[in-house]
Amino acid sequence: MQLAPQNILELIPQAPPFVMVDTLLYTDELTSRSSFVVNDDNCLVYNGFFTEGGLLENMAQTAAARAGYLAKAENKPVRGGYIGAVKNLEVFFLPKTGQEIITEIRIENQIFNVSVITGSVHCNNELAARCEMKVFLNTEG
């Protein structure tokens, strides 16, 4: 479903300067999509390019925004989490500062507090990166 604009800081446990998503655009049972404009002052920008670490963190924060959105819909607290593993990372190019990236994650498997997701990052309708990731959600708020 398309989502109304929201304050992303209410959906993710991260805080500036470590915020790598601007807007949660869409979510349904298995898929979520976010947007992010890469700024010059971003801590994961190097020499004018969003780094590989930034792309990974952006995918993970898209999953976090999804989890936060679903938690808020159930009047539950937004919980923190962390990346447990990354598999099959492919980086085709690094987005430049000033460019918008659109990230899509898909839940491939969910077991208790562990989600296996596939993520892809697009910039100017071109695939910039993709991977599979295990994301662990903290069991306490």
Side-chain angles (χ1 to χ4, degrees):
M1 77 181 84
Q2 290 296 112
L3 305 178
Q6 71 285 139
N7 178 353
I8 199 68
L9 296 178
E10 294 179 3
L11 302 182
I12 62 174
Q14 293 81 3
F18 208 72
V19 174
M20 305 297 150
V21 291
D22 291 327
T23 306
L24 184 63
L25 300 170
Y26 173 89
T27 196
D28 64 21
E29 307 82 45
L30 296 174
T31 305
S32 294
R33 201 171 301 119
S34 72
S35 69
F36 181 63
V37 176
V38 181
N39 293 313
D40 290 327
D41 62 352
N42 185 287
C43 61
L44 294 178
V45 164
Y46 183 74
N47 286 338
F49 291 92
F50 199 41
T51 61
E52 294 86 346
L55 293 167
L56 283 171
E57 186 61 28
N58 170 261
M59 287 185 255
Q61 287 190 23
T62 300
R66 175 187 192 283
Y69 178 82
L70 295 175
K72 286 186 74 67
E74 296 177 6
N75 291 318
K76 294 182 179 176
V78 173
R79 297 185 291 167
Y82 56 94
I83 300 169
V86 175
K87 185 176 170 184
N88 299 325
L89 173 64
E90 294 180 284
V91 177
F92 302 102
F93 69 93
L94 298 175
K96 296 177 187 176
T97 57
Q99 291 184 311
E100 179 183 39
I101 58 176
I102 304 295
T103 302
E104 184 170 293
I105 61 110
R106 179 173 173 79
I107 305 296
E108 300 297 337
N109 203 344
Q110 176 89 37
I111 301 170
F112 300 111
N113 66 325
V114 180
S115 296
V116 176
I117 66 167
T118 51
S120 62
V121 179
H122 287 80
C123 182
N124 293 328
N125 295 317
E126 291 185 46
L127 181 62
R130 64 181 170 205
C131 74
E132 182 179 291
M133 186 180 294
K134 284 184 186 171
V135 180
F136 290 78
L137 196 60
N138 292 338
T139 55
E140 297 179 14

